[in-house]
Amino acid sequence: MSKKIAVLFLLIASATASAQIGGRYTYQFLNLVNSPRQAALGGKVITNYDWDPSQGLYNPASINPEMDNQLQINYVNYFADVNYGTASYAYLWDRRTQVLHAGVTYINYGQFDGFDEAGNPTNSFSGGEVALSAGYARNIPYTDFHVGANVKLISSKLEQYSSFGGAIDLAIMYVYEPWDLHISAVARNIGTQFTPFNEVYEPLPFELIFGISQTLQNIPIRWHFTLENMQVWNIAFENPNRSITDLEGGVVTENINFFDNAIRHMIFGLELFPESGFNIRLGYNVRRAEELRILEQRAFAGLSAGFGIKLNKIRLSYSYSQYSAAANASFFGLNIDLNR
């Protein structure tokens, strides 16, 4: 069973190896950060295997019995009056061995002023997108491997144009309890548009993610290491602002090498006191830092931080992510334990 799953991941990766990221796909909101906890740890952590049902939105293999009757609601006041959020819930059934997961992700782009081709003002309009998901995971018998899948229905409306589509996420996760070690791989957004915006069918933002995390022995710290966008190697690009003009007037462009591409796939995260009622989270997203870095100015792009606090049956989470000197985002989350 595990060999078949490994082969499936290889086939998916090879089928999309020529893809590029950024501006070439529809339903881009599917890959937005889905919780304050994930945002604080760098943006795409997939190796948490605990009570947090929002983790199931990104990695269905992480759906587990600890999520039973946990309701998570998250909200983000994003850039330029854009708002988005998620909600997720898990339920344990069938002799308390099977877990079902449901979630919703939405984004509201706000109001826009409309103009015709001559520049004359017309009616204002809005835009929004939503995805409904249902997930399920199970343990491969007699192993430490877990597999899971999400099925998503997607609706998008931008001005007078609308689209409807569907996608699935496939994931595998290895949980070795003696070492508190988690290793996972996720293939996200495998799907298509059922109805396009305007005759042309656009691809979905497929992504292959790999992650590993572990809690240190005798030290209340859990480290996270994530490799994002593994479906395509070349994600670095030459920044014209980093070109150098020599004394003869020649322009020397930025040299993108193997190391530049390798490091841009990496995300680092730390969770202090991960199992206590209060914990602190820190993250660093290398690609975000490099793409949004301002020359000769310290902007702390790529850094993120947050905390979580448990109050009886409620958990509150907050995180702050720095994108540039002029742009940042705050994430708010509320988890309610409905078992109590």
Side-chain angles (χ1 to χ4, degrees), residues 3-224:
K3 291 183 178 179
K4 292 181 179 179
I5 294 170
V7 171
L8 177 60
F9 273 97
L10 289 174
L11 289 174
I12 294 169
S14 62
T16 58
S18 62
Q20 298 294 320
I21 62 174
R24 300 192 178 186
Y25 306 99
T26 189
Y27 309 146
Q28 291 278 7
F29 78 105
L30 295 174
N31 283 339
L32 290 173
V33 177
N34 63 29
S35 73
R37 187 183 187 190
Q38 190 185 59
L41 294 173
K44 293 184 180 179
V45 169
I46 60 171
T47 50
N48 287 319
Y49 190 83
D50 52 24
W51 51 268
D52 186 357
S54 63
Q55 182 69 28
L57 292 172
Y58 237 76
N59 181 4
S62 69
I63 299 171
N64 67 88
E66 284 190 58
M67 295 180 181
D68 177 43
N69 251 350
Q70 302 292 322
L71 174 64
Q72 178 82 18
I73 302 172
N74 304 301
Y75 171 77
V76 186
N77 185 4
Y78 215 39
F79 310 124
D81 295 327
V82 175
N83 297 275
Y84 81 88
T86 65
S88 52
Y89 174 77
Y91 179 71
L92 189 63
W93 71 294
D94 187 22
R95 299 181 182 179
R96 304 192 68 77
T97 59
Q98 309 294 324
V99 184
L100 298 178
H101 183 277
V104 58
T105 301
Y106 80 92
I107 184 166
N108 184 342
Y109 295 111
Q111 292 291 319
F112 298 86
D113 294 326
F115 297 88
D116 62 20
E117 60 274 14
N120 300 312
T122 59
N123 295 329
S124 62
F125 62 92
S126 63
E129 299 178 286
V130 63
L132 303 176
S133 68
Y136 173 76
R138 65 170 301 169
N139 171 247
I140 299 176
Y142 311 109
T143 74
D144 294 317
F145 287 91
H146 304 258
V147 293
N150 281 332
V151 178
K152 295 182 282 192
L153 295 177
I154 309 156
S155 176
S156 177
K157 182 174 178 58
L158 304 172
E159 209 257 343
Q160 61 179 322
Y161 302 98
S162 61
S163 174
F164 185 63
I168 61 172
D169 302 332
L170 299 176
I172 183 170
M173 191 169 192
Y174 175 74
V175 179
Y176 189 62
E177 294 184 357
W179 294 357
D180 202 2
L181 174 68
H182 302 166
I183 303 173
S184 188
V186 185
R188 305 190 69 251
N189 305 323
I190 308 166
T192 185
Q193 288 181 298
F194 301 144
T195 57
F197 289 104
N198 187 22
E199 298 182 356
V200 178
Y201 286 83
E202 302 171 86
L204 271 63
F206 171 83
E207 183 175 12
L208 188 62
I209 310 174
F210 173 83
I212 180 172
S213 69
Q214 184 182 28
T215 300
L216 300 177
Q217 290 188 355
N218 304 319
I219 303 176
I221 294 177
R222 185 169 192 88
W223 58 266
H224 299 264

